[in-house]
Amino acid sequence: GTADITVHQRYGDGSLKEVVPASGGPWGGKSIDEAFHSFLKRICGPKVMEELRKTELEDFIDLFREFETKKRSIRVDQTNKVVVTLPVALIDLVKSHRGKMETALEQSPYGQAVSYSKQKLHISPDTFRDLFKSTTEALIKHLERMFRDDKLSDLENLIMVGGFSECELIQHRMKEKFGKHKKIIIPEEAGLAVLKGAVLYGHQPKAISARVLRRTYGIQSWPEWDPQMHPESKKVNLGGVNRCKDVFFKYVQVGQQVETGHEESQVFQALKPDERTLECTIYVSTDPNPRYVTDPSCQRLGNLIIPLPEIRAGQTLEIEETMVFGDTELLVRARDLHTGRVVETQFDLL
């Protein structure tokens, strides 16, 4: 349902480094299906299509399966009409709500471009190709914005993979727009390339040696209260010391390139060492420099519960909290500097 775009730089040892964060949008084959659904609603009526989906789901699915085959076979230079067989249930629903199918077509915006005969819609090739236009142009505009980035000034190759890349209309538009200045590579069986890549990556996880972070990562911290920096609403008293709650302590920020296994560590003091556990809360943000974990850009990723040892009164307890980046998962590790005990957990990094 989406177009997913990554940019990698290939090194002499064959490894890949991500250049900019992965991006994309709803510009895949599913958006073409939605355009076809809108096309049918303009002919048959929204109520008819909704009733078909609710009462005759199998016919509804079969209709879009047939559209899938037509969608993959449409050509840039095709002159003959595209024929789509309609389920009997849809024709009956049109009759009960709109009269004859021919009447519904005449009242639609497609009276001149689409005809109906013997349970089949005959769609002009230009009208059928128009179903792809908004999706294709949105994808092109996104790529144009990406290519304005100075980091991509020497980009040489565009590689198209996935089922949607097999569509001739998409291939033609990409070559038309970018083919003069970049080499466009479309492997055989482009739809299988994603699957093959996933299998290869499973066997060679070090093939991607560096990634660009899509979000800022940090933890909730409680620094001492500073009236010049912190709002009164965040002021709390812990152990007789005024502190600021909900502060986002940043480890790495969005857009930063990290090597596989990159570690960031920080030592914190347990503010309540008499308690038996310490909760380390990990947050992410789309903002490069979030101030508080309560900011709208922030989202709680999860917790790491750290068991605390018994210590003498007045003794401080220090915990080293480490984040390990670079793989498809984020590893969070906490080490009790008093006992050496280590606890850790993992989160999805992609």
Side-chain angles (χ1 to χ4, degrees):
T2 61
D4 303 300
I5 302 154
T6 60
V7 184
H8 291 89
Q9 184 173 0
R10 185 167 167 242
Y11 284 80
D13 62 358
S15 67
L16 301 174
K17 287 192 177 182
E18 205 171 33
V19 180
V20 295
S23 63
W27 314 310
K30 189 176 179 182
S31 63
I32 311 297
D33 295 344
E34 290 169 355
F36 180 62
H37 191 213
S38 297
F39 165 80
L40 290 174
K41 286 195 288 187
R42 292 190 191 101
I43 295 173
C44 305
K47 289 183 179 179
V48 168
M49 292 306 300
E50 181 61 19
E51 191 170 337
L52 178 71
R53 186 184 67 82
K54 286 183 175 179
T55 62
E56 303 291 344
L57 183 58
E58 188 173 345
D59 284 344
F60 184 87
I61 292 172
D62 285 344
L63 175 59
F64 279 85
R65 280 183 181 149
E66 174 158 2
F67 173 69
E68 182 70 24
T69 63
K70 307 296 182 181
K71 182 174 72 175
R72 289 174 180 265
S73 60
I74 183 69
R75 299 186 310 278
V76 174
D77 58 353
Q78 184 168 328
T79 56
N80 58 304
K81 290 192 171 186
V82 179
V83 180
V84 177
T85 303
L86 301 179
V88 174
L90 176 59
I91 297 168
D92 290 342
L93 284 170
V94 171
K95 285 180 180 178
S96 63
H97 287 79
R98 308 286 303 277
K100 295 192 297 181
M101 179 62 77
E102 292 85 348
T103 303
L105 262 176
E106 289 171 5
Q107 296 172 352
S108 77
Y110 306 108
Q112 301 300 315
V114 182
S115 59
Y116 172 76
S117 175
K118 297 179 181 179
Q119 203 182 325
K120 292 179 174 64
L121 282 182
H122 298 258
I123 308 168
S124 75
D126 286 339
T127 300
F128 197 86
R129 283 189 284 262
D130 283 345
L131 298 177
F132 292 74
K133 190 170 290 184
S134 62
T135 299
T136 306
E137 293 311 305
L139 175 58
I140 294 292
K141 285 181 181 178
H142 180 77
L143 289 171
E144 285 179 322
R145 284 194 298 270
M146 285 187 66
F147 295 159
R148 294 189 199 111
D149 190 328
D150 291 340
K151 294 177 183 177
L152 308 185
S153 59
D154 58 350
L155 184 71
E156 297 176 355
N157 302 301
L158 291 179
I159 305 174
M160 296 174 59
V161 297
F164 198 42
S165 296
E166 295 178 347
C167 174
E168 185 181 312
L169 297 186
I170 302 298
Q171 294 178 6
H172 175 78
R173 188 70 181 98
M174 291 288 287
K175 291 174 181 176
E176 183 180 63
K177 189 67 181 179
F178 304 115
K180 290 182 181 179
H181 306 290
K182 304 184 192 316
K183 182 179 180 181
I184 296 178
I185 302 167
I186 307 167
E188 289 186 26
E189 297 184 319
L192 283 177
V194 178
L195 174 61
K196 290 177 180 178
V199 173
L200 283 170
Y201 182 73
H203 288 280
Q204 303 172 22
K206 303 302 181 186
I208 300 177
S209 57
R211 297 180 185 275
V212 177
L213 297 175
R214 300 172 72 174
R215 295 182 288 184
T216 298
Y217 289 79
I219 65 169
Q220 182 183 19
S221 64
W222 306 71
E224 289 192 19
W225 168 260
D226 184 342
Q228 303 299 318
M229 293 176 55
H230 304 136
E232 190 72 26
S233 59
K234 298 288 186 183
K235 185 178 180 180
V236 293
N237 188 282
L238 293 174
V241 178
N242 288 331
R243 296 188 175 276
C244 182
K245 66 178 182 178
D246 299 330
V247 172
F248 191 110
F249 184 90
K250 182 174 70 175
Y251 274 66
V252 291
Q253 73 178 42
V254 60
Q256 181 177 336
Q257 188 181 76
V258 293
E259 304 281 338
T260 300
H262 175 77
E263 294 189 10
E264 293 282 349
S265 298
Q266 183 66 34
V267 175
F268 297 92
Q269 282 191 359
L271 300 180
K272 297 179 180 179
D274 55 321
E275 294 186 348
R276 298 277 59 83
T277 59
L278 173 67
E279 186 176 291
C280 173
T281 310
I282 300 94
Y283 283 84
V284 294
S285 174
T286 53
D287 187 339
N289 295 293
R291 293 193 66 192
Y292 302 101
V293 298
T294 52
D295 291 351
S297 68
C298 295
Q299 179 184 352
R300 179 177 167 275
L301 190 60
N303 285 355
L304 179 62
I305 306 300
I306 307 160
L308 298 180
E310 293 186 13
I311 60 173
R312 296 190 301 273
Q315 187 178 6
T316 60
L317 183 60
E318 293 184 326
I319 305 293
E320 181 187 53
E321 297 177 8
T322 303
M323 293 188 186
V324 184
F325 299 87
D327 289 317
T328 57
E329 292 181 324
L330 167 67
L331 173 67
V332 181
R333 178 192 305 130
R335 183 164 66 96
D336 182 343
L337 298 182
H338 181 74
T339 64
R341 182 174 181 177
V342 174
V343 291
E344 57 185 36
T345 188
Q346 290 183 325
F347 301 99
D348 186 2
L349 187 60
L350 298 179

